[in-house]
Amino acid sequence: MKILTIVGARPQFIKSAPVSKALRDAGHEEFLLHTGQHYDHRMSQIFFEEMGISKPNANLGVGSGLHGQQTGQMLIQIEEILLTEKPDWVLVYGDTNSTIAGALAAIKLHIPVAHVEAGLRSFNREMPEEHNRVLTDHCADLLFCPTQTAVDNLAHEGVSQGVHLVGDTMYDAVLQFSKIAQQQSTILQNLELMPQEYLLATVHRPYNTDVPENLANIISAFLELGEPVVFPVHPRTRKVIEALDIDIPADKNLRLIEPVGYLDMLMLEQNARMMMTDSGGMQKEAYFFAIPCITLRPETEWVETVETGWNRLVGADKQQIIKDVQDFMKPQTHLPLYGNGTASELIADKLA
Ligand code: UD1
Ligand code: UDP
């Protein structure tokens, strides 16, 4: 069986790594297509190196741009490759512009589409990701859901055929790479951090980067927390901080660093006292490691993390961020919400 996998953005390299391994271990042929949506070494190549992902068979080099322009360029180029490669399946991940471009290109050519991380919903139509998710799910022939909530969301939209609850491939990745991170990462020493004595933060959603007041509130809250905050900065966010000339004194508790590789990130996460993020993947990783999480968004797709008390939605409200970081109590229980680490094998089986 020939599978054409489409990735393009940082979280997709991580989500796809264990699935590509499972597909190849099962003897399937995989053509790996990188759209080039992310292209900086620390946003792309580093994940291929650290996670042992094969070199992409094609990199479209699409780069950054307006949504229509970026998605349209991907669509044109993916179609050409599908016509040449004639795969049995097109496999797409998550909710980025690379996801919807891949799904659209495939259905126009009547090639079946499999969607990993199907059924997630924020119910916020202002997020570009929400349109990408809904449309991709409605193109897909096989829908691999990480949670029962995702299965239920699809059922509410009348989608039940081809839906499989398999667990979360990011959990598979965490299980596969945590030990390697502990053995290889020197990030704590490099940054002179003590376990449990710092907070870890990331911000990149348009809700926070494209509303100057929101980003200013978040950074101001971080500065007032009074305990060390490590903040690997997404290039999108770096550009806005520079454009708005937001003042971050070097002698304060807030430390801006370049985006880190996966192994360093796993190490930073496991040892943080708490995480503050608007990232979807990092909300889950906080849960996997049983680290309390403050989500810098008004809603989340990963509702189980909130319902079980491990995640709190605070948006960009400065006082709320400070209050929740200070009074968060770790819940007593921690349930296995995202499968048992075999999502990737289940996906390979179902595709076969
Ligand atoms: C994209 C996804 C988002 C995902 C995120 C993961 C869409 C619509 N959004 O958002 O769902 O959570 O990836 O990180 O697909 N840039 C660089 N170097 C890079 C990549 C980006 O400098 O390697 C800068 C460019 O200025 C670019 C901006 O970041 O315009 C945004 O990049 P883009 O891929 O459009 O969206 P993300 O915010 O990364
Ligand atoms: N990540 C990383 N280095 C960073 C920031 C994030 O390795 O500097 C990883 C993180 O551990 C998670 C994934 O990237 O596995 C999340 O990607 P991102 O936050 O960019 O996107 P989202 O999950 O919000 O779509």
Side-chain angles (χ1 to χ4, degrees):
M1 191 179 53
K2 181 168 177 178
I3 292 135
L4 193 139
T5 297
I6 298 179
V7 292
R10 173 167 67 188
Q12 292 168 330
F13 312 134
I14 296 159
K15 289 168 195 181
S16 66
V19 182
S20 292
K21 181 177 181 307
L23 288 172
R24 289 168 194 235
D25 285 352
H28 300 301
E29 185 188 349
E30 186 188 43
F31 184 101
L32 185 59
L33 191 162
H34 187 330
T35 62
Q37 177 170 351
H38 286 176
Y39 44 87
D40 291 348
H41 181 266
R42 285 169 167 271
M43 295 296 288
S44 173
Q45 181 63 27
I46 193 168
F47 299 96
F48 287 76
E49 291 163 5
E50 289 188 347
M51 302 181 84
I53 307 170
S54 305
K55 188 174 184 291
N57 300 86
N59 188 326
L60 307 182
V62 164
S64 308
L66 293 169
H67 284 269
Q69 186 188 44
Q70 189 183 50
T71 312
Q73 281 177 10
M74 290 175 191
L75 185 56
I76 293 167
Q77 295 193 57
I78 293 171
E79 183 173 63
E80 283 170 16
I81 290 181
L82 294 183
L83 284 168
T84 316
E85 293 302 323
K86 299 185 176 49
D88 297 302
W89 282 99
V90 164
L91 183 58
V92 294
Y93 290 84
D95 51 21
T96 73
N97 288 346
S98 299
T99 317
I100 183 63
L104 270 180
I107 55 161
K108 298 281 182 192
L109 295 173
H110 308 292
I111 301 170
V113 175
H115 185 204
V116 176
E117 218 178 69
L120 273 292
R121 297 290 181 267
S122 66
F123 302 102
N124 176 354
R125 288 284 179 141
E126 293 198 358
M127 290 179 73
E129 292 85 359
E130 188 72 356
H131 301 286
N132 291 341
R133 292 178 193 120
V134 172
L135 294 170
T136 302
D137 283 339
H138 286 255
C139 292
D141 300 275
L142 269 178
L143 299 98
F144 296 118
C145 296
T147 60
Q148 183 60 44
T149 312
V151 174
D152 297 342
N153 288 338
L154 290 172
H156 286 138
E157 295 172 17
V159 180
S160 55
Q161 274 213 334
V163 174
H164 299 279
L165 176 58
V166 292
D168 196 302
T169 70
M170 280 190 133
Y171 184 47
D172 300 7
V174 160
L175 293 180
Q176 288 173 23
F177 288 94
S178 293
K179 218 181 217 143
I180 301 173
Q182 282 164 12
Q183 288 158 355
Q184 295 185 8
S185 168
T186 55
I187 188 93
L188 296 190
Q189 294 91 308
N190 299 351
L191 297 177
E192 297 178 346
L193 294 169
M194 295 301 289
Q196 298 301 314
E197 291 187 6
Y198 65 92
L199 308 170
L200 176 64
T202 71
V203 179
H204 74 275
R205 297 281 173 183
Y207 166 80
N208 289 321
T209 58
D210 297 2
V211 181
E213 192 192 336
N214 286 354
L215 190 59
N217 281 345
I218 288 170
I219 289 180
S220 171
F222 290 172
L223 284 167
E224 276 189 35
L225 284 171
E227 52 184 316
V229 177
V230 179
F231 182 4
V233 188
H234 189 291
R236 171 190 200 108
T237 315
R238 172 80 65 181
K239 281 179 188 148
V240 180
I241 290 173
E242 285 168 9
L244 295 177
D245 203 13
I246 297 178
D247 182 35
I248 303 173
D251 61 341
K252 291 280 205 160
N253 62 321
L254 176 58
R255 195 138 154 210
L256 271 58
I257 59 173
E258 291 299 305
V260 295
Y262 187 55
L263 299 181
D264 281 348
M265 184 48 99
L266 291 182
M267 201 61 186
L268 285 171
E269 289 176 344
Q270 289 173 73
N271 290 287
R273 185 176 84 70
M274 191 180 275
M275 284 160 59
M276 303 176 289
T277 188
D278 59 12
S279 158
M282 288 184 51
Q283 289 174 60
K284 273 184 293 175
E285 286 165 352
Y287 188 83
F288 301 154
F289 290 124
I291 305 293
C293 184
I294 302 282
T295 291
L296 308 168
R297 282 177 49 192
E299 80 288 298
T300 182
E301 304 79 49
W302 304 104
V303 289
E304 305 80 11
T305 59
V306 177
E307 287 160 4
T308 53
W310 285 90
N311 187 5
R312 286 196 194 166
L313 302 174
V314 298
D317 181 329
K318 178 178 167 182
Q319 294 312 325
Q320 198 63 42
I321 295 170
I322 295 170
K323 183 174 174 299
D324 276 322
V325 167
Q326 284 166 352
D327 71 11
F328 203 117
M329 297 283 284
K330 263 194 188 189
Q332 299 294 315
T333 52
H334 188 270
L335 305 166
L337 297 175
Y338 295 100
N340 56 10
T342 58
S344 307
E345 281 83 12
L346 289 171
I347 289 169
D349 280 355
K350 296 285 177 202
L351 278 167

